[in-house]
Amino acid sequence: MPIGPVRPVRPVRPVIPVKPTAPVAPTVPIVPVKSMVPITVSFSEIDDAIREAHLAQKEWMRVPMIKRTKVLHLAADWMREHEHYLTTLLIKEIGKSQEEAKDEILRSADMIDYFANEALNLKGEELSGEAFPGYDQTKMAIIERVPVGVIVAIAPFNYPVNLSVAKLAPAIVTGNAVLFKPPTWGSISSLHLTEIFHRAGVPDGILNTVTGSGSTIGDYIVTHKGVDMVTFTGSSAVGQLIATKTGMIPLLFECGGNNPAIVLPDCDMEATSMEIVKGAFSYSGQRCTAIKYVLGFEQTIDKLIPMVVKKTKEHFKIGDPRIPENNMGPVISEEAAEEIEKRIIMAKVNGAKIVMGGKRAGLYIEPTILDNVRPSMEVVRIETFGPVVSFFRFKSVEEMVIMINQSTYGLQASIFTNDEGAGIALSKKIEVGSVQINSKPQRGPDHFPFLGIKGSGVGVQGIRYTLEAMTRPKPIVLNKPH
Ligand code: G3H
């Protein structure tokens, strides 16, 4: 195991399952990603894990919060200590660029620390009955925040460390136990993360990792009677499916984005075009917060497209991300690459113009800019999880708002303008979780609330918000004698 101790630690605990099919070597071997697909756990192993989780959780919730936060801080230190190894693994396993992979590891360590610090501020309250008509001071409620119990956490391939941390750290620090299903692509990075938590002192039974594809074990996990909450990041289609199956338990989902950007004529076009380039093509467009379509007046779009083309060429170098000069790698799988290519071809067949890119070589898709797209085309109607952005011309801002609000998605939207007041006024009309003025959509900073409406999610994440979502108020009502 390459992760050496930075401080004295408890004995190593095996994760469940204990044997990923590929050996985890001290240096990252250059082998095809597909040989690293993990084993699938059996349903009886899942039953065992959930049973143990319930037993362990009852003990863990009684451990003082300050001790639980110390475990998290140790895990964060450990991630920083092994940043280089973890970054290299991430590049190799999911094809992120060096900068993106390193950022994911360091951001995760910071996030763990922040969760631990913020957990110390999580408070209950005391309420007196006297504030409501007909009651007096003889009735009062002592309201504690208690953990929900055993939480299923399902993480996506595009942030196998960071979006796992966003679920595991808050669940653990608030005294819950977790049944963690890592993404199939990215599972080795996720397994390293769980090993870090174990070595930092997370006790047996609190973090139980079950590997296997969603189609094989997903249903069994989310419908298990022993599960008290499900937190999931992934596509809108899978999110909808899980939501129909879980029954009456809390859900915390981040799903597809398909995010628009409105560009108003008064914006700083240089800065805006750069934000669009990064927003559309970072990590090959495989971010739920990626920009998928741009809306503006005819003249604005005419001016904008050549600038976006120029900046894309200047900024991105496509190729094997293990070579540091390349900052745009492959998409995650052959299947994904074929689907993206199919949607580009169909758009072209139906009259769209490929202004730039459009070609595929294996898992590599060129950054692709489309014009003359119609809202009904699949490439823009359904989130295309790849480096493709479409441009639309409108005669009024109202028409732009209608197109955005008719979408089945509602994660984020961007507005680019130099008039902040106009940006705020327009934000109020757009039906999405958050609006960014003069920035590409993004999840961070991680203490901001992050949420999707419609097909884009359920519940609110963001450090304090996630801690609250993973605990519930428990009022104990005290009735004093008159
Ligand atoms: O893919 C979904 C992520 O939550 C996006 O996060 O905005 O930090 O890239 P990001």
Side-chain angles (χ1 to χ4, degrees):
M1 184 69 209
I3 296 167
V6 286
R7 292 183 199 166
V9 290
R10 300 160 62 117
V12 180
R13 287 167 178 77
V15 288
I16 302 171
V18 286
K19 28 181 200 310
T21 49
V24 180
T27 52
V28 182
I30 307 300
V31 294
V33 167
K34 277 190 178 169
S35 70
M36 294 167 79
V37 176
I39 63 165
T40 300
V41 295
S42 66
F43 290 167
S44 72
E45 282 176 299
I46 294 170
D47 293 340
D48 291 347
I50 293 176
R51 195 171 39 251
E52 280 171 33
H54 276 286
L55 292 173
Q57 192 266 330
K58 302 226 166 7
E59 297 296 317
W60 182 238
M61 68 182 280
R62 279 194 276 274
V63 171
M65 176 69 90
I66 189 71
K67 289 194 177 162
R68 297 200 299 256
T69 65
K70 286 200 160 80
V71 171
L72 257 62
H73 286 306
L74 180 56
D77 288 350
W78 221 328
M79 289 192 82
R80 288 191 193 93
E81 179 78 10
H82 296 282
E83 170 271 308
H84 180 70
Y85 176 82
L86 294 167
T87 296
T88 311
L89 180 57
L90 212 48
I91 294 166
K92 183 183 149 20
E93 199 183 12
I94 61 158
K96 270 198 172 168
S97 73
Q98 299 243 352
E99 191 188 336
E100 289 163 337
K102 182 172 179 173
D103 184 66
E104 173 165 354
I105 301 303
L106 294 179
R107 175 182 181 182
S108 300
D110 289 344
M111 198 191 241
I112 295 174
D113 278 335
Y114 209 124
F115 271 121
N117 293 335
E118 191 66 31
L120 295 173
N121 296 322
L122 201 62
K123 290 187 188 71
E125 61 180 338
E126 187 187 296
L127 290 178
S128 169
E130 67 180 328
F132 200 88
Y135 291 90
D136 60 25
Q137 294 167 5
T138 60
K139 193 182 279 291
M140 63 174 289
I142 302 161
I143 303 163
E144 288 182 287
R145 285 208 83 88
V146 297
V148 297
V150 175
I151 300 178
V152 162
I154 304 175
F157 78 81
N158 63 346
Y159 281 95
V161 175
N162 187 261
L163 281 171
S164 301
V165 160
K167 297 167 176 54
L168 306 184
I172 291 169
V173 80
T174 49
N176 294 285
V178 186
L179 190 76
F180 172 47
K181 196 200 96 54
T184 301
W185 309 117
S187 56
I188 305 298
S189 303
S190 297
L191 287 171
H192 279 68
L193 173 70
T194 58
E195 190 61 30
I196 287 172
F197 276 123
H198 285 295
R199 290 194 184 202
V202 173
D204 284 346
I206 292 304
L207 173 52
N208 308 278
T209 306
V210 289
T211 53
S213 70
S215 57
T216 318
I217 60 169
D219 273 11
Y220 193 77
I221 294 172
V222 301
T223 56
H224 201 288
K225 290 286 164 265
V227 166
D228 301 304
M229 174 178 180
V230 177
T231 175
F232 161 81
T233 303
S235 72
S236 294
V238 175
Q240 306 265 14
L241 213 59
I242 297 175
T244 59
K245 293 182 176 178
T246 50
M248 287 170 60
I249 55 172
L251 305 177
L252 189 59
F253 288 5
E254 177 203 346
C255 299
N258 218 28
N259 311 288
I262 293 182
V263 179
L264 297 177
D266 68 336
C267 75
D268 175 338
M269 291 290 271
E270 285 295 330
T272 299
S273 50
M274 197 62 228
E275 283 297 298
I276 290 171
V277 169
K278 289 187 183 167
F281 302 134
S282 298
Y283 188 39
S284 301
Q286 300 171 111
R287 297 165 50 245
C288 62
T289 46
I291 294 178
K292 294 299 174 190
Y293 59 107
V294 179
L295 312 92
F297 296 122
E298 179 123 28
Q299 282 184 338
T300 310
I301 298 295
D302 286 349
K303 197 171 155 197
L304 190 61
I305 288 179
M307 294 174 79
V308 171
V309 169
K310 182 167 174 279
K311 285 192 166 57
T312 303
K313 286 180 183 158
E314 285 166 4
H315 185 77
F316 282 108
K317 189 160 186 309
I318 193 165
D320 187 333
R322 289 171 295 193
I323 298 164
E325 298 78 59
N326 297 329
N327 62 356
M328 187 170 174
V331 296
I332 197 65
S333 65
E334 196 76 29
E335 197 188 359
E338 282 167 8
E339 178 63 26
I340 298 161
E341 183 187 40
K342 187 197 88 189
R343 290 195 197 172
I344 295 170
I345 292 169
M346 285 312 291
K348 192 178 173 205
V349 167
N350 288 309
K353 180 180 164 200
I354 299 178
V355 178
M356 180 183 173
K359 294 201 189 66
R360 165 169 101 92
L363 300 188
Y364 292 84
I365 310 260
E366 290 177 344
T368 300
I369 296 173
L370 300 178
D371 201 356
N372 298 340
V373 180
R374 285 195 310 281
S376 58
M377 290 179 181
E378 212 173 44
V379 74
V380 77
R381 186 171 49 81
I382 307 169
E383 182 182 40
T384 298
F385 221 53
V388 185
V389 65
S390 303
F391 285 77
F392 290 89
R393 294 167 169 76
F394 285 96
K395 293 206 174 354
S396 73
V397 173
E398 287 67 36
E399 288 173 283
M400 301 179 205
V401 173
I402 289 171
M403 177 175 172
I404 294 171
N405 290 350
Q406 278 176 347
S407 167
T408 55
Y409 299 86
L411 189 62
Q412 294 205 353
S414 292
I415 296 169
F416 293 94
T417 173
N418 270 338
D419 183 342
E420 290 175 5
I424 291 170
L426 183 51
S427 302
K428 291 174 194 276
K429 296 181 186 164
I430 298 178
E431 293 159 7
V432 292
S434 333
V435 180
Q436 303 270 349
I437 297 175
N438 294 324
S439 165
K440 63 186 185 308
Q442 58 189 40
R443 176 162 45 109
D446 291 308
H447 64 305
F448 284 11
F450 180 58
L451 68 152
I453 61 170
K454 299 194 269 183
S456 292
V458 176
V460 185
Q461 298 176 78
I463 307 280
R464 175 167 64 80
Y465 304 91
T466 312
L467 293 169
E468 285 174 358
M470 292 184 172
T471 54
R472 62 185 161 83
K474 180 167 183 186
I476 298 171
V477 181
L478 187 59
N479 293 282
K480 299 180 204 163
H482 279 80

